[in-house]
Amino acid sequence: MRRHLPAAGHSPEEIYSLLTTSVVPRPIAWVSTRAADGVPNLAPYSFFTIASQEPPIVSITSVGEKDTLRNIQETGEFCVNIVPEELIDEVNASSAPFGRHVDEFAAVGATPEPAEIIEAPRVAESPVSIECTLHALVPVGNGVLVLGEVVAFDIDESVLGEDGFPLVDRLRPASRLGRNEWGLAPRTTERERPTAP
């Protein structure tokens, strides 16, 4: 038996809960930015994915007006830091509604490190940081889809395989699930991609 739930018959909060408990796991972009006045900012986004291969574009969605979005609008750049399991507490703490002039790096105990190309700092504890420049801002409902062009990667060599790319069992990425649940690195299986018949 299946339950049919028309979106029109439910509140936005109920629909949000249905989405975030169904669309799982969601990778986390721990986004670091710098305000125009130099104050660093750090916040997690679970509405995060790859949006384009060429040019390389990643996307996050900011629901509501947040400091991260304001900083990206002001400076045109941001850094996506991948979250390993051991940083869940710090990432969760950085989701608190800090004031605009609070340095979240200091507040949650993360270490800012200069990026190579952009001015926004990266998180030293993150195994993979992706430096981005703003490609486009797209208003969507009560949010803004932020598209960032990837300009550089900074990767801890300890997570790399022999092919030079990160291995999931070394990266151990945390993810967001529904409610207050967090996902740990998943079990994996492999399949060869099919060729044309």
Side-chain angles (χ1 to χ4, degrees):
M1 183 173 211
R2 295 176 70 90
R3 183 177 298 183
H4 180 67
L5 301 170
H10 293 81
S11 70
E13 293 76 21
E14 289 173 315
I15 296 302
Y16 175 78
S17 293
L18 284 166
L19 282 171
T20 57
T21 54
S22 299
V23 182
V24 291
R26 297 184 309 283
I28 304 163
W30 205 13
V31 179
S32 50
T33 58
R34 187 186 302 278
D37 63 5
V39 177
N41 180 268
L42 189 58
Y45 288 82
S46 69
F47 292 3
F48 161 55
T49 193
I50 301 165
S52 169
Q53 176 189 10
E54 190 176 342
I57 303 283
V58 295
S59 71
I60 62 169
T61 298
S62 177
V63 178
E65 275 288 318
K66 296 183 178 177
D67 293 340
T68 298
L69 177 60
R70 231 180 342 258
N71 292 349
I72 293 170
Q73 291 170 322
E74 290 177 356
T75 66
E77 59 183 35
F78 62 98
C79 188
V80 171
N81 302 278
I82 302 301
V83 177
E85 293 175 8
E86 61 266 22
L87 292 179
I88 287 176
D89 289 335
E90 290 82 354
V91 174
N92 188 53
S94 71
S95 68
F98 292 103
R100 176 146 172 77
H101 298 290
V102 173
D103 175 350
E104 283 90 351
F105 279 90
V108 305
T111 309
E113 191 170 67
E116 299 298 324
I117 294 178
I118 64 174
E119 293 296 320
R122 61 183 177 234
V123 177
E125 293 83 0
S126 172
V128 178
S129 296
I130 305 169
E131 299 179 38
C132 302
T133 56
L134 179 60
H135 178 77
L137 297 171
V138 183
V140 181
N142 68 341
V144 176
L145 178 67
V146 179
L147 299 171
E149 182 165 353
V150 176
V151 295
F153 294 87
D154 181 75
I155 305 174
D156 185 326
E157 291 184 353
S158 69
V159 303
L160 297 177
E162 291 182 4
D163 59 2
F165 301 109
L167 293 168
V168 71
D169 61 335
R170 295 183 185 176
L171 201 58
R172 298 185 331 281
S175 60
R176 282 292 286 126
L177 306 174
R179 303 173 185 85
N180 291 323
E181 300 167 323
W182 291 71
L184 304 180
R187 292 185 305 146
T188 63
T189 185
E190 295 186 20
R191 299 287 187 278
E192 292 292 330
R193 287 183 182 250
T195 57

